[in-house]
Amino acid sequence: MDDRGTPYLRITNLTKHFRVGRGGLLGRKRPVVRAVDDVSFSIARGETLAVVGESGCGKTTLGRLVLRLIEADSGRIEIAGTEIRGLDHRAMQEFRRRVQIVIQDPFGSLNPRMLIGQAIMEPLDIHSVGTAKARRARLAELLDLVGLPQEFAARFPHQLSGGQRQRVGIARALALETDLLICDEAVSALDVSVQAQIVNLLQKLKHERHLTYLFISHDMAIVRHIADHIAVMYLGEIVEIAPKAQLFAAPAHPYTQALLKSVPRARVQERPKLAIKGDIPSPIDPPSGCRFHTRCPHVMQICRSTPPPRTTVGPNHGANCHLLTPALPAAKGQSA
Amino acid sequence: MAVTPLLSVRGLGVSLGRAALIEGVDLDLMMGKTHGLVGESGSGKSVSAMAIMRLLEPRQFRVEAQRITFDGRDLSALGTTEMRRVRGAEISMIFQEPMTALNPVLPVGEQIVETLRVHQGLNRATARKRALEMLEWVRIPAADRRIDEYPHQLSGGMRQRVMIAIAIACQPKLLIADEPTTALDVTIQAQILELLHELQRELGMGILLITHDLGVVAGYADDVSVMYAGRIIETGTTSQIFEHALHPYTQGLLRSHPPVDRDVDELPTIPGTVPQPHERPNGCRFGPRCAHFRQICDQTDPRLMGFEHQHRAACIRPKGYLFDEPLEVSDG
Ligand SMILES: Nc1ncnc2c1ncn2[C@@H]1O[C@H](COP(=O)(O)OP(=O)(O)OP(=O)(O)O)[C@@H](O)[C@H]1O
Ligand SMILES: Nc1ncnc2c1ncn2[C@@H]1O[C@H](COP(=O)(O)OP(=O)(O)OP(=O)(O)O)[C@@H](O)[C@H]1O
Ligand code: SF4
Ligand code: SF4
Ligand SMILES: [Mg+2]
Ligand SMILES: [Mg+2]
């Protein structure tokens, strides 16, 4: 379904289940969280793919799988044409230089006793890149790139604001020859005035350095601003994937439609629509058939038993919903 | 209009040691209406609410106010016991993270029962019956089963519903909701906001809606006050604030979050960050970040000034700057 040339990142049938809790009596198996289930997508070089969805749908797990911070159960992860799941430790180190992550709370991830300069340089030290002099020059360049004053190199994390720490996280992620940047809620914890600064910085870096982004977020408005393509996840699965303009103009999946309607509009007396009822079900033993069927306003009989296949609804635009499959209405049973 | 506000606050200030956390806060809230209090992190929204509720530890914080009138009484003059009674029965509060506000070792139904017994003197059986009604009222599915569950067994959205049930159990006249949906997913947020809106219509209560999300306020508030670095810097009706913002900070805030329903080329930003209480500048506290700053802005600490009916802003050149230079950003 993809006609965008050789992808920089290609994910095929990626699956990760977590066993949780204790095994039950009578030798019952431990419950399984289907955190990422048969997920496929690709991102062309220089593009931004945003992954959106509600809490617990598997966004963070997906990002960590791509970095191999956790190992997948099955599926393929190809970066620039190389399948990385089979790489040994040494070969993987090479890829780690090119794929980096920026997470939500840089405070938690920065060592409180390490100076900002040291923190930014740490990836270069780990990979023993360049002479001491070259590294100092690189540090100056990186601080500049993310818009931090040079003297911040000699500060500690607690002496920086949230937005400044987020810039440190980005500088650190770009210290090596990064091609692919995974941003996991990288701007979510920031105040809007600072959030806008970081969003613009990410946009600028993307153009200047031809970066490819996997941009994980729950904020549809930020995603609309930053993404080229969008994948919508629900309970471990991608339910719709489309170029940004198509997704916002003609969302095909009932969940995507609900998500868009729920976002407050910042217009006077215009209230977000009560698009769907009910809570997000547990990812442990998710609903049978279409996982969205417990909340879907269009649920039909077939939805409860049969997982909907991916249907192409436009160029590079696919969605998994029985309403979109060209089967006979009789086969779908009555609307419930 | 000569309608007496349900809540009227004048000159509320809170300091901690030498740091003034909030200064000169004025607020009016009408019966049955929603007043949105917005601002970025650390601007003083929660401290304002806690001061109104008299929940700040007096040995730590210094609170002063010209007056805090609620339903005809001066709250700052009430004794501690009387204030505690007002807090449970007439003013309620809900918070961002219901997990921390709920008792983890008590079934949720029991927590409502306790509130009802303490404040309304109901007997156990009646209180339990009423608690079940409350859970149904806040639309908890299978309420008869959920009533005996513990907070950790519920989803985030359901816990917030339980908090709301406890808060409205005594049919308060005023509900202070401090970031009631910030921790929730957007589809659940829509449900909770709609629930609060319906309950408000049924009970006629006033709501002080505290949030950093301007979108939430636009849809649900009648009036809005914007806080910046410890002060309210603009206040007015929701349409005055959203359609005719006067203060450069309000304008910046409104533009810096991208809209979800149309495309913008570049996101306008406000340079710098919100100053901490001890690093607030002399003169206008927004001065160092303001695109319209002029030397004169350093010489006064502007207070709210009236413009049109109800609409007030703390900027000494709230219209003048419109003519200085083309605004950096267009309204798109
Ligand atoms: N190490 C783990 N062990 C067990 N379960 C896990 C583990 N990591 C994640 N999960 C579960 O997998 C599911 C997906 O989690 P994940 O963190 O990927 O979601 P998310 O989409 O990033 O959510 P959020 O928006 O809240 O960050 C959740 O149900 C989570 O509880
Ligand atoms: N218990 C406390 N001790 C010391 N300082 C405090 C305390 N509570 C609040 N402050 C300070 O008072 C100021 C206002 O804080 P407040 O919690 O009211 O902000 P807020 O507008 O509610 O922010 P947020 O959106 O992050 O909740 C901040 O500078 C904060 O650091
Ligand atoms: S498959 Fe059925 S339940 Fe699922 S989204 Fe489509 S209509 Fe709704
Ligand atoms: S008083 Fe001056 S610095 Fe302050 S907001 Fe108005 S124009 Fe800007
Ligand atoms: Mg996550
Ligand atoms: Mg607060």
Side-chain angles (χ1 to χ4, degrees), chain A residues 54 193 197 200 224 269 276, chain B residues 40 187 191 218 260 267 270:
Chain A
E54 293 179 284
S193 73
Q197 296 168 11
N200 287 348
R224 172 167 199 148
Q269 292 299 316
I276 37 175
Chain B
E40 294 179 283
T187 60
Q191 296 171 2
V260 74
L267 273 191
I270 306 174

Side-chain angles (χ1 to χ4, degrees), chain B residues 238-303:
Chain B
T238 308
S239 57
Q240 282 168 340
I241 299 294
F242 280 85
E243 286 155 11
H244 310 283
L246 289 168
H247 197 285
Y249 176 65
T250 312
Q251 297 183 337
L253 262 193
L254 286 170
R255 289 180 182 128
S256 51
H257 195 256
V260 74
D261 48 2
R262 63 195 156 84
D263 296 314
V264 289
D265 283 339
E266 228 221 350
L267 273 191
T269 58
I270 306 174
T273 52
V274 183
Q276 293 302 303
H278 62 275
E279 55 184 38
R280 286 173 195 154
N282 293 324
C284 174
R285 53 195 63 199
F286 186 58
R289 306 179 71 191
C290 183
H292 309 294
F293 177 85
R294 289 291 178 276
Q295 220 146 35
I296 186 175
C297 304
D298 248 352
Q299 285 147 29
T300 45
D301 178 2
R303 303 301 160 86

Side-chain angles (χ1 to χ4, degrees), chain A residues 113-123 125 139 153 156 172:
Chain A
R113 278 188 279 277
M114 202 186 253
L115 292 172
I116 296 304
Q118 291 172 307
I120 295 176
M121 287 296 92
E122 200 181 25
D125 295 337
L139 174 61
F156 287 101
R172 195 179 137 97

Side-chain angles (χ1 to χ4, degrees), chain B residues 98-153:
Chain B
M99 200 57 198
T100 53
L102 290 170
N103 183 344
V105 296
L106 209 58
V108 293
E110 277 308 299
Q111 308 196 31
I112 306 177
V113 166
E114 230 165 62
T115 310
L116 289 168
R117 294 192 64 184
V118 171
H119 291 291
Q120 302 204 323
L122 298 184
N123 67 35
R124 184 145 262 299
T126 323
R128 182 167 165 102
K129 202 166 140 259
R130 186 98 181 94
L132 183 61
E133 281 168 22
M134 300 303 310
L135 291 177
E136 279 163 357
W137 204 9
V138 297
R139 321 227 194 317
I140 293 210
D144 53 343
R145 186 162 52 81
R146 296 290 185 188
I147 191 168
D148 295 317
E149 290 189 349
Y150 292 88
H152 72 91
Q153 292 174 288

Side-chain angles (χ1 to χ4, degrees), chain B residues 58-75:
Chain B
R59 272 166 305 195
Q60 202 186 352
F61 296 91
R62 206 175 67 246
V63 180
E64 52 193 38
Q66 282 153 29
R67 62 158 207 264
I68 305 176
T69 0
F70 167 71
D71 202 24
R73 275 162 297 167
D74 188 354
L75 288 188

Side-chain angles (χ1 to χ4, degrees), chain A residues 16-21 33-36 51-64 70 104 184-185 216-218 233 235-236 282-284, chain B residues 185:
Chain A
K16 177 70 185 177
H17 294 175
F18 293 106
R19 292 208 170 277
V20 290
V33 175
R34 296 167 184 271
V36 170
V51 178
V52 300
E54 293 179 284
S55 175
C57 70
K59 305 181 295 296
T60 295
T61 305
L62 180 62
R64 293 171 61 81
I70 46 175
Q104 171 162 5
D184 187 356
E185 305 283 3
I216 295 168
S217 175
H218 67 277
M233 283 186 84
L235 288 177
S282 162
I284 302 172
Chain B
D185 281 312

Side-chain angles (χ1 to χ4, degrees), chain A residues 253-254 290 292-293 296 298 303 308 321-323:
Chain A
H253 196 283
C290 171
F292 187 55
H293 85 242
C296 182
H298 310 292
C303 307
C321 170
H322 288 300
L323 289 173

